[in-house]
Amino acid sequence: MREALAGLTLRGRAFVAAGVTAVVCAVLLGQPALTRVGVLVLALPLLTAAYVGRNRYRLALVRTVSPQLVTAGQPARVGLTMTNQGRTPHAVLLVEDQLPYVLGTRPRFVLDGIGQGWRREVSYQVRSDVRGRYDVGPMTVRVSDPFGLVELGRAFQTSVPLTVTPRVVPLPPINLGGGSSGSGDNRPRTFAHGSAEDVTVREYRRGDDLRRVHWLSSARTGELMVRREEQPWQARATLFIDNRAGSHRGQGVASSLETAVVAAASIATHLGRRGFAVRLVTAAGEDAAAAWHVRDATLDTGPILESLAVLQPLRATHLDTGWLREQGQGGLVIAVLGDLTQADLPVLRRMHHGADAGLAVALDVAAWGTGVPTAPGASGAAVLSRQGWRSVGLGPRDRLDAAWQDLGRSRATAPRPHGATSGPGTGIRTGGGTGATTRGGPS
């Protein structure tokens, strides 16, 4: 009852005040008729509060979000199914679902005619231009009587996650160099001057069909060799993104970090569609949730995109090198880099040395801070090229697909001797100053 009295609306409190005033005036003026009116006006909100307070509400909610993984800028639909599992009919329900600000305004619904076995389905649309993982809910329900005198609040504590992945830019096919080779157990065994059949052979085992014996390979190795059954084999690619806070400029969706995330998401999707097994590595090391994502028949790159959706700036100043100690790293390495320092060069040199081919997209971070592109000769892309990378710069006004096309046409120059450092005007920071990496050309 206390909760119901506390839930009196402004109209209900006005009725109580009017009833008390009428009763007091009737006593002072000696008007019995006015007393009856005052008692009636006062009793109406009190009886309504008692009725609403004694009801036991048994409302059930089922919330669905479809799809739960969307690209930034694409809508998702939230479905709400409410049922009355109690026997007591309810009055009007005022429903409000809680949403993060980036998903839009909070939806509100008014539901009436609620009786035993009542069921109602409503839906609304949400959309976000900002990547991330958001919780849809919880829901608050306010139960009101038909007169609008009493309003009680209830809440459903459950929520449903919605993941907004970075925007993906379609990229044109380019020559990726040596990235088509496998690594580890995925690399087929090859023989010099052999035919295509020679790459899938193994030692003879008891019980093998003699018709599968490959005599040419047996003669070369001195052991009986048989053709292996056809096995799935994929090229591997490591996608590295530098997410250190000190390597980027700008705020929000207009920052250089967001451009790097869009570039990484687009490259991962492009590689997956070309049949690569892709893993994601950040400045903090290999992302376990997106390690060696293997392409399947649905071309689902969800694990990598989900990891990029929640990627945050890292306060560290140095790149983690633990993943570089793996045996047989090999494969293709594609790096999306921000502002570089002298301490980064040995790490990038190791990264390129352990790869079959190295491609880099170097962001012109200085242009995000000043709006002035860095001179091409002093860009981070030029420094990477001198280390043996095939590299291209990317500024805030450049098109990613055009930069990717230029990367396919780029060629690495001869790498400098081991231990050589970059001189003045190379776009490499020596400490905490502003670096410079750029790709020339308009958008």
Side-chain angles (χ1 to χ4, degrees), residues 35-371:
T35 303
R36 290 191 291 270
V37 174
V39 171
L40 178 62
V41 173
L42 178 61
L44 182 60
L46 298 179
L47 292 175
T48 302
Y51 173 77
V52 174
R54 291 185 62 183
N55 284 335
R56 294 295 180 262
Y57 303 108
R58 296 186 58 189
L59 300 175
L61 169 68
V62 176
R63 181 191 286 106
T64 59
V65 178
S66 180
Q68 288 188 289
L69 187 69
V70 297
T71 304
Q74 293 184 349
R77 183 156 293 277
V78 180
L80 305 174
T81 302
M82 296 192 64
T83 56
N84 180 19
Q85 298 180 346
R87 296 183 179 180
T88 305
H90 302 290
V92 179
L93 293 184
L94 307 177
V95 179
E96 181 181 26
D97 216 4
Q98 307 295 316
L99 290 179
Y101 176 76
V102 296
L103 294 182
T105 58
R106 295 179 177 179
R108 296 179 175 89
F109 305 96
V110 178
L111 307 177
D112 55 5
I114 304 171
Q116 183 178 358
W118 172 87
R119 176 187 177 94
R120 183 69 60 85
E121 295 182 1
V122 295
S123 64
Y124 61 91
Q125 184 174 285
V126 294
R127 187 180 70 89
S128 174
D129 293 323
V130 182
R131 63 181 177 89
R133 182 176 289 119
Y134 308 102
D135 288 327
V136 179
M139 173 184 285
T140 58
V141 179
R142 303 196 68 83
V143 183
S144 177
D145 67 285
F147 303 104
L149 302 176
V150 180
E151 191 175 277
L152 298 181
R154 296 289 187 270
F156 295 94
Q157 300 301 326
T158 59
S159 60
V160 177
L162 171 66
T163 302
V164 181
T165 61
R167 183 172 54 91
V168 173
V169 178
L171 300 178
I174 65 172
N175 178 20
L176 297 174
S180 60
S181 60
S183 62
D185 294 336
N186 286 343
R187 184 187 296 275
R189 186 172 178 177
T190 59
F191 298 89
H193 308 293
S195 64
E197 295 176 334
D198 292 332
V199 299
T200 53
V201 295
R202 61 169 175 80
E203 295 81 0
Y204 174 83
R205 298 172 186 168
R206 185 175 180 180
D208 285 336
D209 190 349
L210 293 178
R211 290 176 296 183
R212 291 171 46 204
V213 173
H214 195 273
W215 299 107
L216 184 59
S217 300
S218 301
R220 289 198 187 99
T221 61
E223 298 178 3
L224 199 59
M225 309 294 291
V226 297
R227 296 183 181 89
R228 298 175 58 184
E229 297 85 355
E230 184 176 353
Q231 297 182 358
W233 170 72
Q234 286 185 308
R236 288 189 168 190
T238 297
L239 177 60
F240 175 82
I241 178 172
D242 184 1
N243 61 320
R244 293 174 298 175
S247 298
H248 293 278
R249 302 289 184 273
Q251 298 293 330
V253 295
S255 66
S256 60
L257 176 61
E258 292 303 312
T259 301
V261 171
V262 170
S266 304
I267 294 171
T269 303
H270 178 76
L271 294 176
R273 290 173 178 171
R274 293 190 61 173
F276 280 81
V278 187
R279 69 169 172 176
L280 179 65
V281 178
T282 68
E286 184 174 359
D287 188 339
W292 290 126
H293 159 70
V294 180
R295 173 184 180 269
D296 56 20
T298 62
L299 295 174
D300 178 21
T301 53
I304 292 180
L305 296 181
E306 287 186 56
S307 296
L308 290 172
V310 296
L311 186 70
Q312 297 297 323
L314 191 65
R315 297 301 175 186
T317 58
H318 297 286
L319 298 175
D320 181 86
T321 59
W323 63 280
L324 291 173
R325 291 192 290 267
E326 294 181 3
Q327 296 297 325
Q329 175 194 342
L332 174 68
V333 173
I334 300 182
V336 181
L337 303 170
D339 202 3
L340 302 177
T341 66
Q342 288 286 353
D344 297 332
L345 298 183
V347 179
L348 295 173
R349 190 178 299 113
R350 287 180 56 193
M351 194 183 303
H352 180 268
H353 178 74
D356 294 336
L359 285 73
V361 177
L363 273 65
D364 183 8
V365 177
W368 266 270
T370 63

Side-chain angles (χ1 to χ4, degrees), residues 337-338 340 362-363 374-386 391-393 426-428 436-438:
L337 303 170
L340 302 177
L363 273 65
T374 306
S379 66
V383 174
L384 292 170
S385 179
R386 289 192 289 271
S391 60
V392 67
T426 58
I428 300 299
T437 57
T438 185

